[in-house]
Amino acid sequence: RRGAAGIEGQRVEYPHRLVSLELTPPGPLPHDFSAYLTDRGLRLVYPLPGGRVRLYLQTEPDELRGLTADGFADWLARAVREVPALDGLVPALPEAVGSKQTFAVGRYLADRLAAPGLALVGEAAYAVHPMAAQGMNTAITSAASLAEQIARALDGSAPGDGGARLGAAAADAALRAYEEERRPTLVQAAKTSANAARMVTDLAWPGRVVGRRAVRCTGANARLLHTVTHNMAGLGPRPLTPLDRLQQIGLLPDPRAHRVPTA
């Protein structure tokens, strides 16, 4: 456990719940991860192996309380039919009702990524809203960073029986280097993912107006879209400037909108 290693962190809950279902639709599967915005919140769908589809639907904390199985089935059908792009899932809804899971949604980032003899990778260190869909990306990039730091330490170590071995001091130095390299990136990824989740899940009218506008303007701006995607994927911190923020919600024009940043 993180606490036993002296590593703390605070989980922050979002003010909504997600309903998750697994479907096997009869028609063509969606080709990619897609998020749809409705007046009642997020509808999220992505393909799984074996001809299956995962569907997430945003709800208020007590919206489904007290519903019978038939009541939930009616709610589900209405929620899916609000999005014309999801019409192909409707025939599979009755059989999917039994797979329903409702859960709270939160975000988390550990205060540290390493302790003597211990490294945190993936959800042990970092969790974001499912809408961001970046948990796997950041886990992969963090694992690659950890492997790279250990490989560097091994290159500088003395050979032993069966190959190079790391002493405790060298191993801990590699773990500290991993933390120094990855945590700033995860901090930025967590911030970007939280902002993106808030833009599409906030149902209060100020949040809806600003959030939907930011989604549209970001999608139409190649430079900002590349930067936001880069940050959410955990590839490295590229913070948005105050000017970027004003351009992101369309209050100022962006003469560099067509310029995609170089790697």
Side-chain angles (χ1 to χ4, degrees):
R1 297 175 67 90
R2 292 181 295 260
I7 299 177
E8 302 296 334
Q10 183 179 7
R11 177 180 171 90
V12 179
E13 300 289 344
Y14 289 96
H16 60 267
R17 301 289 186 269
L18 286 182
V19 176
S20 168
L21 300 106
E22 190 172 296
L23 304 88
T24 307
L29 298 179
H31 296 295
D32 55 14
F33 174 98
S34 298
Y36 301 94
L37 309 184
T38 75
D39 290 341
R40 295 199 293 162
L42 176 69
R43 307 294 183 247
L44 187 65
V45 62
Y46 59 88
L48 297 172
R52 297 168 297 137
V53 171
R54 177 81 66 192
L55 175 65
Y56 289 109
L57 305 101
Q58 179 180 338
T59 73
E60 294 296 313
D62 298 321
E63 186 174 349
L64 303 182
R65 180 168 295 178
L67 284 185
T68 64
D70 289 341
F72 173 74
D74 290 341
W75 178 92
L76 176 62
R78 291 195 304 272
V80 172
R81 288 192 174 103
E82 290 175 351
V83 182
L86 300 183
D87 283 347
L89 303 182
V90 172
L93 295 180
E95 292 187 4
V97 169
S99 69
K100 178 191 76 169
Q101 293 182 314
T102 304
F103 55 94
V105 189
R107 63 183 187 272
Y108 174 85
L109 178 62
D111 293 340
R112 292 187 291 132
L113 301 184
L118 173 70
L120 300 183
V121 178
E123 291 192 354
Y126 170 87
V128 296
H129 195 289
M131 187 287 308
Q134 296 304 326
M136 181 63 74
N137 278 353
T138 52
I140 291 171
T141 53
S142 294
S145 173
L146 178 60
E148 181 180 357
Q149 297 298 340
I150 292 175
R152 288 177 181 174
L154 283 170
D155 287 343
S157 66
D161 295 338
R165 293 187 177 182
L166 284 182
D172 289 342
L175 299 185
R176 289 193 298 272
Y178 157 71
E179 178 179 51
E180 291 170 2
E181 191 273 326
R182 286 306 296 167
R183 197 170 189 283
T185 297
L186 292 183
V187 168
Q188 184 63 44
K191 181 178 179 180
T192 304
S193 297
N195 288 340
R198 189 163 51 248
M199 283 193 298
V200 300
T201 61
D202 191 343
L203 298 184
W205 75 263
R208 287 175 57 186
V209 170
V210 174
R212 303 321 191 252
R213 186 177 180 87
V215 169
R216 289 194 300 270
C217 292
T218 302
N221 185 314
R223 180 182 68 85
L224 290 178
L225 182 61
H226 183 278
T227 300
V228 169
T229 303
H230 180 94
N231 288 338
M232 288 179 63
L235 297 177
R238 291 181 178 174
L240 296 180
T241 66
L243 178 60
D244 290 334
R245 296 292 186 189
L246 293 174
Q247 293 166 338
Q248 190 179 28
I249 57 176
L251 293 182
L252 289 176
D254 184 2
R256 301 173 297 153
H258 62 287
R259 301 178 188 173
V260 175
T262 58

